Amino acid sequence: MRLAVASDHGGFRLKAEIISYFKEQGIEFEDLGTYSEESVDYPDYALAVAEAVASGKFDLGVVCCGTGIGVSISANKVPGIRAALCHDTFSARMAREHNDANVLTLGQRVVGPGLALEIVRAFLEAGFQGGGRHSRRVDKICGIEKKYCR
Ligand code: RB5
């Protein structure tokens, strides 16, 4: 599994914690920035991860900002991306199992690093349950994209 990870300045320290965890676990990843705590615009980093995942180059993405909200809104504008803002492990698991989310977003100013890493772990360990109702609903999300995203 290959992961794309990024943050703005507001999520920079949390991204560093997540990268340390990936290294520890031998998880393959690419850091798409930002590379310091200097102020930047969060949509640029959300877009980098969203495009990297939507292109198929990466399986999943993780993006951090101060709240996780701005990067979630931004990433969800890219067709094929289902970004989930999760600040608890149950939501992270459900986002994969029911919604086939392919990007996890997190807020450094909302959760501490310990919980954030548990959330990342829950997201990565879960898989889409597929079949029946979940696939039908995700297909409907794709239908909305086809109708409005040109
Ligand atoms: C940056 O100050 C902050 O607005 C950003 O990190 C994020 O929280 C936006 O949603």
Side-chain angles (χ1 to χ4, degrees):
M1 179 180 292
R2 272 177 57 73
L3 302 182
V5 59
S7 74
D8 73 350
H9 56 288
F12 177 75
R13 276 178 283 118
L14 180 54
K15 173 168 68 81
E17 297 276 354
I18 292 168
I19 285 175
S20 299
Y21 171 72
F22 287 166
K23 285 182 178 163
E24 238 174 65
Q25 298 295 313
I27 294 170
E28 208 182 326
F29 71 94
E30 197 167 318
D31 179 3
L32 303 179
T34 185
Y35 304 111
S36 78
E37 287 191 274
E38 192 180 319
S39 182
V40 292
D41 298 331
Y42 61 80
D44 297 337
Y45 297 90
L47 179 64
V49 167
E51 286 183 335
V53 173
S55 72
K57 194 174 165 206
F58 294 87
D59 302 298
L60 295 173
V62 180
V63 200
C64 308
C65 67
T67 59
I69 297 169
V71 289
S72 172
I73 293 171
S74 306
N76 275 315
K77 299 293 180 194
V78 175
I81 292 304
R82 290 176 297 282
L85 169 57
C86 300
H87 286 141
D88 65 89
T89 56
F90 176 75
S91 300
R93 183 161 63 82
M94 286 297 121
R96 293 282 301 123
E97 290 185 356
H98 287 194
N99 313 115
D100 199 17
N102 48 15
V103 173
L104 169 68
T105 75
L106 288 159
Q108 175 184 297
R109 296 171 188 157
V110 183
V111 281
L115 175 56
L117 293 183
E118 290 291 331
I119 292 166
V120 169
R121 193 173 304 132
F123 188 79
L124 298 185
E125 283 175 3
F128 184 44
Q129 283 179 347
R133 68 190 196 282
H134 299 310
S135 291
R136 184 179 69 245
R137 290 162 188 165
V138 171
D139 285 349
K140 287 191 178 189
I141 295 173
C142 298
I144 296 171
E145 265 179 10
K146 284 195 186 105
K147 189 170 175 193
Y148 289 101
C149 307
R150 288 166 211 286

